[in-house]
Amino acid sequence: MTMFPKFSKKREGVNVIGEQKLLQQVSNLILNSEVCTGCGICVESCPEDAIVLGLVGATRRGAVEYAAPVDIDEVKCSYCGVCVVMCPFNALTLKIDGEERLPIVEKEGFPQYDMVADIDDEKCVRCTICNEVCPRDAIVRDVPEFEGSSETGKERQAAIQTKTTFKVDDEKCTLCGICGSICPAITVKHKEFTAESGKVEGEVVWDESRCDACKVCVEACPEECITVEREIVSDKIAGEVDIDQNLCCTCTWCSRNCPTEAITVEKLFEGDIEFAASKCPGGCSTCVDICPANAIYLPSAKPASEMKGVVEPTIAVNKDYCILCGACVNACPGEDIIRLSRTGIRIKGGETDLFRKIKEKLCTPRTSKVKEDTQGSVQLKMMEKA
Ligand code: SF4
């Protein structure tokens, strides 16, 4: 006799798929172990305590391939979708009978992150600096390559939107062909020479897409019969730049570096992070490797003359880019080196009782801890509230 519910867990490529089979419903909670940063927000958020942290540093650095940064107990899991809502990296998906669903939002009106990550198309000049600096590949760049930046790129005259006019005074033009021989945008075509007209006939054909408006043809024309004028319709490069909100982690690298201030990004969490650099042994750099926001760095060495009486810091964080996700706290193998305290979460929708409990946990200051109480599960040391 078949007993329900039935549970199973399997790994398919980068996904770890937990399954609950009821008589008339199949629920799957899917963790993308590559996208998961090990921030542990799902661990704090799960109402069933069904998620534990794994070997965050080792898995994120690729030292352990068989495991994911977090482990979900498919039997304890109620398949409510809270972790899916709370994961700031969209590493989790809940499917019910094959369809993406969020029962917690549908049934209880659970709030969701208030994601603010926009590009003002009017201000954007498509330089795509944002695409270069984004640590999560969240900037969608649909801008053609131009010659100079790529061998296969479009010719540079297509780089900015212009309207060029080219006029030949037919009365003066002798179809000598000098303009065509010096410029690839111009072809001078001669008709067959016949005694009927007894003169050179033909036309000057001009290709706007190849014209640079350099006016060499104007200078070269012996009859002074060419005029070229160029009007800049838009000084923007053609194309589109957008933010994929599923990939954006609100680190603000893009908005802080956009030369035209076209980007608005609001961080999901408020609070602070501190590094006790003197406690960091140096040489580990796990936090630098795993930081999803590229906010942690190994300070550049200073000349000895500037270091008199100063201990060189081994590790540092640029708070401008830190998103307070906590992945570094979970991955750090040292004790009390990284201290994280969140004070607020940007959400839309009313706060439910469950959300308030989750928020309280997420806003409890914590610090890194060496000890593993359960094998393979890194425990965090909770700090007393300030
Ligand atoms: S950095 Fe700013 S201006 Fe440049 S492409 Fe991105 S949004 Fe546009």
Side-chain angles (χ1 to χ4, degrees):
M1 193 170 114
T2 315
M3 297 289 283
F4 289 95
K6 288 208 262 182
F7 299 98
S8 65
K9 183 149 73 178
K10 61 180 174 184
R11 195 171 176 123
E12 269 179 15
V14 295
N15 292 328
V16 182
I17 307 169
E19 183 169 282
Q20 178 203 57
K21 216 178 225 174
L22 301 174
L23 202 53
Q24 291 189 321
Q25 182 174 292
V26 179
S27 303
N28 289 112
L29 182 59
I30 304 156
L31 170 76
N32 184 321
S33 61
E34 263 187 16
V35 173
C36 174
T37 62
C39 71
I41 286 174
C42 57
V43 177
E44 311 275 12
S45 306
C46 176
E48 310 293 343
D49 289 331
I51 313 179
V52 291
L53 282 175
L55 300 167
V56 176
T59 48
R60 291 304 312 151
R61 294 184 97 176
V64 183
E65 276 182 16
Y66 59 85
V70 297
D71 184 46
I72 304 170
D73 184 328
E74 73 280 10
V75 179
K76 277 189 179 177
C77 174
S78 65
Y79 299 84
C80 65
V82 166
C83 58
V84 179
V85 174
M86 294 304 296
C87 175
F89 301 101
N90 290 301
L92 289 152
T93 312
L94 180 65
K95 287 191 176 173
I96 298 175
D97 293 333
E99 231 183 84
E100 277 190 39
R101 297 266 304 275
L102 289 172
I104 192 75
V105 177
E106 292 163 17
K107 286 186 199 152
E108 297 173 38
F110 194 78
Q112 291 176 279
Y113 288 121
D114 183 11
M115 188 72 186
V116 177
D118 294 309
I119 297 183
D120 181 338
D121 193 49
E122 290 291 306
K123 289 186 182 171
C124 172
V125 292
R126 331 267 192 255
C127 66
T128 63
I129 287 269
C130 50
N131 177 269
E132 279 177 53
V133 296
C134 177
R136 307 292 300 166
D137 289 335
I139 305 287
V140 184
R141 180 193 185 282
D142 184 12
V143 179
E145 299 278 351
F146 294 98
E147 66 178 15
S149 59
S150 156
E151 271 183 22
T152 55
K154 279 193 177 186
E155 288 163 1
R156 68 182 175 277
Q157 44 272 57
I160 48 175
Q161 295 169 44
T162 54
K163 182 77 203 126
T164 310
T165 47
F166 171 88
K167 281 190 200 142
V168 178
D169 184 336
D170 292 336
E171 297 292 310
K172 288 174 159 183
C173 176
T174 59
L175 298 165
C176 68
I178 288 181
C179 54
S181 64
I182 55 168
C183 175
I186 301 171
T187 313
V188 178
K189 293 183 176 173
H190 289 154
K191 281 187 185 168
E192 208 180 322
F193 304 119
T194 71
E196 188 180 353
S197 72
K199 61 178 184 176
V200 176
E201 289 183 314
E203 59 178 336
V204 179
V205 180
W206 168 76
D207 179 351
E208 183 177 1
S209 70
R210 306 188 78 186
C211 177
D212 262 346
C214 67
K215 299 190 181 177
V216 165
C217 55
V218 176
E219 300 298 322
C221 176
E223 305 299 328
E224 295 182 0
C225 64
I226 301 178
T227 27
V228 173
E229 274 164 23
R230 171 165 284 193
E231 176 197 347
I232 295 183
V233 178
S234 165
D235 55 2
K236 287 180 181 186
I237 293 174
E240 277 178 36
V241 185
D242 208 349
I243 301 180
D244 182 335
Q245 306 217 344
N246 284 323
L247 295 177
C248 174
C249 70
T250 71
C251 64
T252 73
W253 268 98
C254 59
S255 55
R256 286 175 195 276
N257 285 286
C258 171
T260 61
E261 296 181 3
I263 306 183
T264 312
V265 174
E266 300 284 353
K267 288 192 187 176
L268 293 181
F269 301 106
E270 289 160 20
D272 198 14
I273 191 160
E274 293 293 343
F275 276 61
S278 58
K279 294 185 183 175
C280 173
C284 154
S285 72
T286 300
C287 56
V288 178
D289 286 354
I290 65 104
C291 175
N294 208 6
I296 308 172
Y297 61 98
L298 301 171
S300 307
K302 287 188 178 163
S305 55
E306 289 176 30
M307 295 303 298
K308 281 180 193 151
V310 180
V311 178
E312 198 164 14
T314 47
I315 197 80
V317 62
N318 185 331
K319 292 186 189 183
D320 284 346
Y321 299 123
C322 174
I323 53 174
L324 305 173
C325 71
C328 56
V329 180
N330 302 345
C332 175
E335 186 156 7
D336 288 342
I337 297 173
I338 312 171
R339 289 164 175 253
L340 169 73
S341 46
R342 300 189 192 101
T343 52
I345 306 173
R346 279 183 65 85
I347 54 154
K348 57 184 177 200
E351 290 195 358
T352 58
D353 286 347
L354 175 59
F355 180 79
R356 274 189 214 102
K357 274 189 210 154
I358 293 170
K359 184 177 171 185
E360 199 183 329
K361 280 204 219 168
L362 290 174
C363 291
T364 302
R366 70 212 55 222
T367 179
S368 49
K369 183 183 179 185
V370 191
K371 196 163 154 263
E372 287 181 23
D373 292 338
T374 312
Q375 198 186 2
S377 160
V378 180
Q379 301 294 313
L380 298 177
K381 187 157 77 182
M382 294 302 171
M383 294 165 64
E384 296 208 348
K385 277 195 180 174

